[in-house]
Every structure is written in C-alpha cells, then in structure tokens.
Amino acid sequence: MSTPDPIDILPPPRSAWRRRAPLLAALAVLAAAAFWWWQPDRTAAAPAYVTAEAERGAIVARVTATGTLSALVTVDVGSQVSGRIQALYADYNAQVTEGQVIAKIDPTLFETQVASARANVRAAEAGVLRATVQAADAQRQAQRADELFERKLIAQSERDTVRATAQAASADVAAAEGQLAQARAALAQAEANLHYTDIVSPTDGIVISRSVNVGQTVAASLQAPVLFQIAQDLRQMQVNTNVAEADVGRLGADMPVYFTVDAWPGERFAGHVRQIRHAPQVLQNVVTYDAVIDVDNADLRLKPGMTANVTFVVAERDDVLRIPNAALRFRPPATLQAPADDRDPRRVSTSARPAVDETAGTTTVWVLDDGQPRPRRIRTGITDGSYTEVLDGALQPGERVLTGVGGAGSGAATRRDGPPRMRML
C-alpha cells in the first residue's frame, strides 16, 4: 500500500477561497431574503368596524298572526222533515228576509197525514160524546137504585152493582177524552210537518251556500240536513286568529289591528280586537288562543273564508332614541376592546358582564370612540324587530354604535401577498 503524497492533503491555496467568496455571499443574501419573506407580518391592519347611528324616530311594536274572515252570524238552514225538493226560491248571493220561503219540499204525503189525523180527531170526539151519554145514563140508574134500596125494594148487592157501572161509565168518559187529546196532538204534529215543508229563512241576510237541487231527496231521520247557509250581514265581518301563547299576554280589547288578504295585495284593512277568548287550541303541542277582530266591510270586498295576515299594534312610540337590534347582539373580540376610562362615567367595563343584565333590565352596546370600541350601558324599551327604543343610559343621539367588524385587523398573524419587499441586511 503506497503512502499518499504529502502535497495532496494540504488545504487549497488562498486564491481558491477568494474565488468562492462571491458565491457564498450570494447564498447568504438569498437565505436572508427567504427568512424575511416567510416571517409572519406582525403589523396588523386597523379593524374595519360596521357602525350605525343612534337616531331619533318612531317605533311600532307588532304581533303577527294568521286568521280567517267570516260573517258575524252565519246560520245553517236545514230541513226537519224528509222528502223530495219540489222547488227552490233562493240561490247563491240572493238577499233574503226573515220568514221568506226559500225552498219547498213535496207536501203530498204530509197533506195525507194531516187529513188522517183530522179524521182521527173527529172519531175521538164521537167517542167522547158516546161515553158521556153512557156515563149520564149510568148515573141516573145509580140514583134510581139508591131510591129503591131505601124503600127496601132491591138488595144492597144490586145497588152496589149499579153504582159500579156508573163509575166505570165515568172512567170511559175520561178515557175517551184522553184519546181525543192524543188525536188532536197527532193532528198538530201532522200540521207542523206539513208546515215544515216550507223552508223559510230564519234571518235577514245573504245566501252564501246552497247544498240541494230540485228533485233531490233529503233525509232528516238522524239530523237535519243543511240546505242553505245564510250570512246575516256581510257589511260587518270578523277575523278569527290563532295567537301564540307567548304573545297573547300583550294583546287586549279595542287594540288597533290591520291585516292584508291575497285578493287585494298591497292594501291594508283596519279593525280592532273585540275579545281574546280563554279557550285554548292545541295543535301538535302548540297552544294558541283565538283573538276575534271586528272589521268594517261596507264595500263588500272582503268575503267569508279569506285568509287574513293580521298585525296587532301592541305599542307605538314617536320621536324616541332608537338603535338597530344588531347593536344589541354585537360584542367585539377581547383583543379589540379598549380599556375603560374611570374618569368617564359612560365608559363601563363589561368584560365580565353578560350581554343583558336581567336584574337591572339593562344591556350593553359598543360605540366607536377615538377609533376604539367602548361600552355604553343603556335601558331598552319596545322593539319592532329591526330597531329598539333606548329609554335611558349613556348613549347620545348621533353616536355611532357598532354592529359588526369586517376586514383584516383581528390581531391574527397574516402572510404578505405580492412580491417580496427589499430589506436592508
């Protein structure tokens, strides 16, 4: 094995290091540039807040519900007797008056029953007459027997038999009179059934439904069939609504109401609450209550059965300080909250407080003060779903309340975009 030449293990000459120096310097510059390129940018942009102005205006608190229009009084007109419809004297939308004949059932069978009942009455009257005569004769026989018995001309048993016969004759008179009363009652029933073949209107109104035609047979054996529906007066109507149990406590009698119907889009109809009924209505475990609303329908544009989208005006305020409801829900991140200034009583630290103080009935909103979010404690009033009334507190008209935060600036590190920036090494 040969020994390497001592000259081969010596370090390169100094001129070789000079040739490599520019390359090493370029590599160092690239490494420094890469380090600064991937280094997180610690300079966060200022957050972009979404604000709204606390302003004065009107607020109307509302409760909404759905209901159905109906006439104040709707009468179902039926038939108390069975038979074939012989004639109709009223149709849909016909104006009728109380007692007016609107339909006729064939009276032939009922006229026959009346004639038969009258014959039975005459027969019963004759029976009463015959029984009366027989009772009078039996009474005379009893008196004669009493006289003969006093003279000892007949036995006591014979007198007792005659007396019994007279008493039986008096009973026959009472029985005959009872039969006469029954016959007269049957005649009255037959005459009433004949009278019921005339279907008359029970009230003044308008026919809104007709369920029969001429020649149709109606059967009234179990219940009276409905032939007509008559609305008493469509110039005055009502709306029956289903109000949720959470809202029914806010309603009361004479409360103003407006509603819309699909038949007249874009038009509001006014009314007022007549009563809130106590009977609950439970559907799929949801409890509602019926609120009855009186409506003026002088022009007859509203019709029974229309669906009404009702709005109850619960409370109304004019020229009050109001803020958007989004301001009540907004809470800035803890890193963006400015510390409270003890010298300013309006600036109250709320970092440990909930959004709403249930005990005091107050809540916290945030305003933009010197570019920093600062809290304000306020007491709220009614709301219309978009704005809420500010009853009192540190908030002043014209202040900008925070409703959101957008853009960069939440305090998180972000990587730069775009070409690298040159830095001095």
Side-chain angles (χ1 to χ4, degrees), residues 44-296:
Y49 292 107
V50 180
T51 64
E53 182 180 357
E55 60 183 4
R56 303 196 72 86
I59 293 182
V60 180
R62 302 175 175 90
V63 171
T64 59
T66 302
T68 304
L69 280 156
S70 64
L72 292 180
V73 177
T74 301
V75 181
D76 293 337
V77 182
S79 173
Q80 292 185 267
V81 295
S82 302
R84 182 178 60 85
I85 299 297
Q86 186 181 65
L88 293 175
Y89 304 111
D91 204 348
Y92 291 96
N93 298 343
Q95 291 285 345
V96 295
T97 58
E98 183 177 357
Q100 177 182 341
V101 177
I102 56 178
K104 180 71 173 180
I105 294 178
D106 187 0
T108 304
L109 294 178
F110 301 98
E111 291 172 347
T112 304
Q113 293 174 1
V114 169
S116 175
R118 285 174 179 169
N120 292 335
V121 168
R122 288 195 294 268
E125 290 174 346
V128 170
L129 181 59
R130 181 174 57 252
T132 303
V133 173
Q134 292 175 352
D137 181 63
Q139 188 64 33
R140 289 193 297 269
Q141 295 293 335
Q143 292 177 356
R144 187 177 297 111
D146 289 339
E147 294 176 356
L148 293 176
F149 176 74
E150 291 177 358
R151 297 179 185 178
K152 307 296 183 179
L153 296 177
I154 59 174
Q156 182 177 357
S157 59
E158 185 177 354
R159 187 194 66 170
D160 294 341
T161 300
V162 174
R163 281 185 173 182
T165 302
Q167 292 175 354
S170 298
D172 291 340
V173 172
E177 290 176 347
Q179 292 177 355
L180 176 59
Q182 290 179 347
R184 287 174 176 171
L187 175 60
Q189 181 178 1
E191 290 175 342
N193 289 337
L194 178 60
H195 174 73
Y196 288 145
T197 59
D198 290 332
I199 309 299
V200 299
S201 173
T203 183
D204 297 339
I206 184 172
V207 177
I208 61 175
S209 176
R210 176 175 61 82
S211 305
V212 292
N213 294 307
V214 175
Q216 182 175 342
T217 301
V218 295
S221 56
L222 298 178
Q223 61 181 4
V226 177
L227 309 183
F228 297 88
Q229 279 189 335
I230 299 177
Q232 190 174 54
D233 186 4
L234 292 183
R235 290 185 296 271
Q236 295 293 328
M237 300 188 69
Q238 67 183 19
V239 180
N240 293 89
T241 64
N242 294 323
V243 180
E245 60 177 328
D247 297 326
V248 71
R250 305 168 64 187
L251 307 184
D254 296 328
M255 179 176 292
V257 173
Y258 66 86
F259 64 93
T260 60
V261 294
D262 294 339
W264 305 98
E267 185 170 355
R268 289 183 175 183
F269 298 89
H272 65 275
V273 178
R274 186 203 310 164
Q275 63 177 184
I276 308 295
R277 293 179 177 171
H278 299 296
Q281 301 178 14
V282 182
L283 180 61
Q284 296 181 351
N285 294 328
V286 177
V287 180
T288 60
Y289 293 87
D290 188 8
V292 184
I293 302 164
D294 287 332
V295 179
D296 185 16

